[in-house]
Amino acid sequence: MDFDFVPAVAPLVVIVAVATVGLTSVMTLSTVLMMVLPSMIVFSVVAFFLGMKHGEFRASP
């Protein structure tokens, strides 16, 4: 099984972008960009990495 980086990361980027735009209606833009967006990016990278490693483990014989 081959890993394609762009198709795997594209939905993640879209989800973070939609969540950022959605949160600007609740909080100010500066708060979202300085506090919420970096934590969303770090969490998504960690979750993506753990999910990728789990998938590799499940796919190995």
Side-chain angles (χ1 to χ4, degrees), residues 13-29 32-33 36-37 40:
V13 171
V14 170
I15 290 169
V16 170
V18 168
T20 302
V21 171
L23 282 174
T24 56
S25 65
V26 180
M27 294 182 258
T28 62
L29 181 62
V32 172
L33 293 179
V36 179
L37 184 61
M40 279 197 303

Side-chain angles (χ1 to χ4, degrees), residues 3 9-10 12 17 20 25 33-35 43 46-47 53 56-57:
F3 175 70
V9 174
L12 184 66
T20 302
S25 65
L33 293 179
M34 288 190 312
M35 296 172 62
F43 177 77
V46 169
K53 289 299 175 186
E56 288 175 0
F57 172 74

